[in-house]
Amino acid sequence: SYRDLVEDSGESWLVQFYHDWSEPCKDFAPRWEALAAKLPPMVRLGRVNVDQNFGLVQRYRSFVRCRQTVLSVECTVPALVLVTRGDGEELHAESYRGSLSAEAVYEWVKRSLPESRTRISKLKGPRAAEALASFLQPAWAKATAGRRRAAALERGRGTELPRAVIFSSRPIADSIFARHLATRLSPLLSLSSMHVDGGLSSSPEASPEARLAHSLGLRSLPVVALWTEPEEEGSPLDKGRSPPLLLEISERPDAAAREDFVARLRAAAGRRRDGRGGRARRAGRRTCPGRVQRRAGGGRGSGDGGGRRLRWRWQWRRRRWQQRRRRRR
């Protein structure tokens, strides 16, 4: 039913209201098929027959212009309505007013989707390798040396998300598919993009992005390079660093191929999160200083006078910490 497919699905839908006998609807049919090949799974497509679903037409009467005749209801069709879900989980509907070409409808959908607010960083410039290394560098690694770096390392170790970069011969950062990936997989990975101008050319005049792609082992474009261990230090081109996992994207993917790619990328990023347990470490990193006492079992803190002084010192620090906490309240 409409409620199960659209309202309870949590996905964006492009709905077409049509008449079977309408000539404009028959002319629009090939363009609708072209949209059905380009939009899913980012946007689902559905059609509503006006003559058989008058209650649904009444629900969208603000977007579908109709007039009641003696025998039937005649509407200005085809009418396109984009149904999306907002931040507060309420449904938003927007009608299309413009040319019925497939390109114009596609651009309108691209601008109207909630994912259009998602921005994907672009790695570019003459120093492409340095830009990639900066993107892969963990946040705690940028801290200064000394105690601050050690504290940042203790807080951040095990909490970094995997990094993924889309390498493509065309600007792909602003495409619906790239924004869909960044939005759907944001809890699992950080996504960026790199435009390899001219493709994987091996000539001496090749762009820095092309030389970087060759050094990473890329053989075709577009492809997503996934680093599941972003906490390794050093350049991505270092021999001791783990190579990225390469997931190829079909040049002209259909809806099934795009869904399969999203599932594979989600599984690859999710395996790393399940294996390292970063979420549990992040949740328990803020602890009372008194809990970090040295364990008994040898050395300075094992029953001698030095161990007693050490325990007394930590107890004193814990009392000071509790006093400051009470003052803040």
Side-chain angles (χ1 to χ4, degrees):
S1 65
Y2 173 83
R3 181 166 186 169
D4 296 333
L5 289 176
V6 179
E7 293 184 355
D8 297 338
S9 65
E11 298 181 283
S12 300
W13 279 80
L14 180 62
V15 182
Q16 178 196 168
F17 293 87
Y18 73 99
H19 283 299
D20 281 333
W21 45 265
S22 173
E23 290 298 328
C25 293
K26 296 179 181 179
D27 295 339
F28 183 67
R31 299 166 222 169
W32 182 257
E33 295 296 330
L35 291 172
K38 295 175 65 175
L39 288 177
M42 297 79 73
V43 181
R44 304 293 182 180
L45 275 68
R47 303 180 73 206
V48 176
N49 191 324
V50 174
D51 300 322
Q52 301 175 3
N53 299 274
F54 183 69
L56 196 56
V57 173
Q58 285 292 100
R59 185 170 184 174
Y60 288 96
R61 59 183 178 272
S62 301
F63 308 108
V64 184
R65 301 173 183 175
C66 301
R67 63 186 182 90
Q68 182 78 44
T69 62
V70 177
L71 300 177
S72 63
V73 177
E74 294 184 2
C75 301
T76 304
V77 290
L80 303 179
V81 178
L82 181 64
V83 183
T84 59
R85 192 170 296 275
D87 297 334
E89 296 300 319
E90 41 307 300
L91 292 177
H92 297 282
E94 180 182 352
S95 63
Y96 174 68
R97 309 292 182 191
S99 172
L100 289 177
S101 65
E103 294 77 11
V105 176
Y106 180 84
E107 291 298 326
W108 167 72
V109 171
K110 180 179 174 180
R111 293 191 305 268
S112 303
L113 282 177
E115 288 87 349
S116 63
R117 296 186 290 271
T118 302
R119 293 291 177 263
I120 301 176
S121 60
K122 303 175 184 178
L123 307 178
K124 57 182 179 180
R127 299 181 177 179
E130 294 182 8
L132 179 60
S134 177
F135 172 70
L136 297 178
Q137 187 179 27
W140 50 261
K142 302 176 183 179
T144 57
R147 294 184 179 180
R148 292 185 178 180
R149 180 178 176 83
L153 175 63
E154 179 63 25
R155 291 194 304 267
R157 178 73 74 176
T159 64
E160 292 294 326
L161 294 175
R163 306 289 201 273
V165 179
I166 307 176
F167 291 86
S168 175
S169 58
R170 295 178 294 177
I172 198 173
D174 297 330
S175 66
I176 297 181
F177 184 56
R179 292 175 177 176
H180 177 76
L181 286 178
T183 303
R184 297 293 180 181
L185 303 181
S186 57
L188 295 176
L189 56 84
S190 297
L191 186 65
S192 185
S193 67
M194 181 171 290
H195 176 210
V196 184
D197 192 13
L200 296 177
S201 174
S202 58
S203 63
E205 296 81 12
S207 62
E209 293 83 359
R211 293 195 294 269
L212 175 62
H214 276 291
S215 60
L216 291 175
L218 273 64
R219 296 293 178 263
S220 63
L221 294 177
V223 66
V224 172
L226 176 66
W227 283 267
T228 57
E229 298 293 338
E231 298 181 352
E232 295 183 14
E233 298 187 10
S235 170
L237 302 180
D238 291 345
K239 294 183 179 180
R241 190 182 179 105
S242 301
L245 176 64
L246 302 180
L247 301 174
E248 295 185 2
I249 306 175
S250 176
E251 188 67 29
R252 295 185 178 275
D254 54 6
R258 283 189 286 263
E259 289 183 353
D260 178 68
F261 179 81
V262 174
R264 287 191 291 125
L265 184 56
R266 185 191 299 273
R271 279 197 298 269
R272 188 262 173 188
R273 296 296 295 169
D274 294 340
R276 293 294 297 272
R279 294 184 183 274
R281 188 183 182 92
R282 177 184 298 179
R285 69 186 183 193
R286 296 193 62 180
T287 58
C288 171
R291 298 179 187 172
V292 216
Q293 299 180 15
R294 185 186 296 271
R295 300 285 181 183
R300 184 178 175 183
S302 58
D304 55 356
R308 287 192 295 270
R309 285 193 298 271
L310 182 63
R311 286 193 295 272
W312 176 85
R313 190 183 305 123
W314 278 114
Q315 291 171 2
W316 175 78
R317 289 184 181 179
R318 179 171 184 172
R319 285 196 297 269
R320 290 291 300 274
W321 179 80
Q322 291 173 346
Q323 290 173 1
R324 290 173 187 159
R325 188 175 180 184
R326 283 195 293 266
R327 286 172 192 163
R328 291 195 209 103
R329 293 179 179 174

